[in-house]
Amino acid sequence: MCGIIGYIGERPACEVIVRGLKRLEYRGYDSAGIVTEENGELFIRKGAGRIDELTGKLGFLEMPGKRGIGHTRWATHGVPNDINAHPQRDCTGKIALVHNGIIENFAEIKEELLSKGHRFESDTDTEVIAHLIEEELKSSESFEEAMRRALLRLKGSFALGIIYTGEPDRLYFVRNESPLVLGIGDGENFAASDVPAFLEYTNRAIFLDDREYAVVTKDSYVVKNLDTGETVEKPIHEIEWTLEMAEKAGFPHFMLKEIYEQPRAIRDAIHGNADVIRTVAEEIAKYEKIFIVAMGTSYHAGLVGKYLFQRLAKRVPVVEDASEFRYEFDDLVDEDSLVIAITQSGETADTLAAMKLAKRKGAKVLAIVNVVGSMATRIADLTLYTHAGPEIGVAATKTYTTQLTVLTMLAIELARVLGTADESYLNALEEGLNAIPELVESVLKHDESLRELAESLVDRRDFFYIGRGISVPTALEGALKLKEISYIHAEGLSAGELKHGPLALLEDGVPVVAIAPSGRTFDKMVGNMEESRARGAFVISLGDRGELKRLSDVLIEMPETDELLTPILYAVPLQLIAYHLAVLRGNDPDKPRNLAKSVTVE
Ligand code: AGP
């Protein structure tokens, strides 16, 4: 996730852009840059670091011109450094652009452009777009035509801001699967990834839809369909948010915003890994001995990974809490081992220590990480990114479901490489995964009823979360979310374990959250729900089968999907229950007591 802000009008563009970038910093903050134009010349200043620091160091506020575009970056391709920061430009230096998203087919386009003599400065996927437009311009009648022709070749997600010296009065903005909004002013216009970037100047906004672009001058704008080139009529929305509300895109907390971002985040995780997953799967197929190390929510993702690897690739990984792995496995890990480290921050002390141990012992280390350029990516031999964008709330939400997405892709591809599962089943599973963002959207519609449910449970002191098979980690994760932000005691366990002790704790009204999707163990779950109800428990079930109604006090109806994909989908209502309980109990879910986003000490 990155932030884009563009301005054209009568003010010094750099001032508007720097203020906008500050408001977009939550979308990414590893590097930033600005391009402005005056008298047919482009001025570009960019570098790695935070906006405030760069503003002083690079003199952002001294840049000339009344039109320009800025960018704050959350790296996806290419480490965060001065060269990879946006804007990126073409060989002639006449076209500059900024990008939010991932170009899946950039490698093949880059190769083609290299063979035509283009020279690249950066490692980014973004730079190919500038060169591709430059290339298309040679045989196009207008810049707009060249831009359209180039963009039609791109696969992936992209929001773009584009400036061209040949057309001194305009800017171009494009949206495909990454957000972009126009801000309509009086004798000036704006565009940004998000409304807060321009809200202090105008509250009149036009939300571009996917595959639309806008041609914006200081006094006009026109929105067109990227595929047909035809003009699209767009309504102007009057935004009623305050600035503070707008930074959270109207959500009261970052956590809720991040929960709602999951459809987009999962899509980006799929797109962002589509090209690399095969190579990684081929590499890890060489290892029979697999360890997965992680902490907290990432550890739960690892447990889901274990079920996926077992079922699909017939490999049985050992999943270990990284703080234990360091001391218990040092003589078991060796050069025949693969260690998969899962960490959103890439900075968790115990996980890093486990990775270093694995490296010392000669093991191959694969990291699944959200933060590009973090320590974990520097230690690992191979890295897969989750592409969730920055997560500000301490509770992991979108980073968890994107970790699960990447693990699912990896298990599917590993099964292909090893020939351990039927190809038609793997294809169907892949299709199912592609449909998950839409299903998550439908699950988010339960939000209000989950809030009402939370209201009825606000005074309960203990919760139990139960599941079987691949739903056991979902139960653990549901309980962890509840504990960390609502401060209610919760236990997650395998439903089979109930009778072996915890059942003694069930009495009238104790909530038992049963994760009960269709699948191998559904019938057994029915038995566990019956035994819980018989002890007076208040059973809340999550599932896709009608008979759950009879067995539950509350049924959260879930869409049907393959059992192996349910951990992604079922995490969402559990996050919402925890969120609402936290808020109803007067807690700040973004900053739970005693906890930090990255645990950088042991
Ligand atoms: C989960 O909501 C927590 N924030 C925590 O358990 C977290 O998952 C854990 O600290 C691991 O962090 P990491 O993924 O950054 O390594």
Side-chain angles (χ1 to χ4, degrees), residues 419-488:
T420 45
D422 189 37
E423 184 60 28
S424 60
Y425 173 58
L426 294 175
N427 290 342
L429 201 56
E430 210 162 45
E431 263 176 49
L433 182 65
N434 291 334
I436 286 289
E438 230 171 280
L439 298 187
V440 170
E441 265 154 28
S442 72
V443 171
L444 288 168
K445 297 200 176 114
H446 292 316
D447 191 5
E448 183 48 28
S449 55
L450 292 169
R451 199 192 58 74
E452 284 165 14
L453 174 65
E455 239 167 23
S456 71
L457 299 172
V458 75
D459 293 325
R460 307 296 160 102
R461 294 184 43 192
D462 304 286
F463 273 64
F464 291 83
Y465 288 74
I466 57 171
R468 282 177 176 264
I470 200 162
S471 295
V472 174
T474 307
L476 297 176
E477 175 59 10
L480 173 61
K481 276 303 79 102
L482 191 71
K483 281 184 270 203
E484 79 173 318
I485 58 170
S486 77
Y487 318 147
I488 300 173

Side-chain angles (χ1 to χ4, degrees), residues 294-300 342-349 351 368 391 393-397 399 403 477 480-481 484 595-599:
M295 299 302 291
T297 291
S298 296
Y299 170 71
H300 298 154
I342 308 175
T343 165
Q344 88 79 23
S345 61
E347 304 293 345
T348 298
T351 309
I368 299 180
E391 192 174 66
V394 165
T397 52
T399 54
Q403 286 169 347
E477 175 59 10
L480 173 61
K481 276 303 79 102
E484 79 173 318
L595 300 178
K597 185 70 187 157
S598 309
V599 184

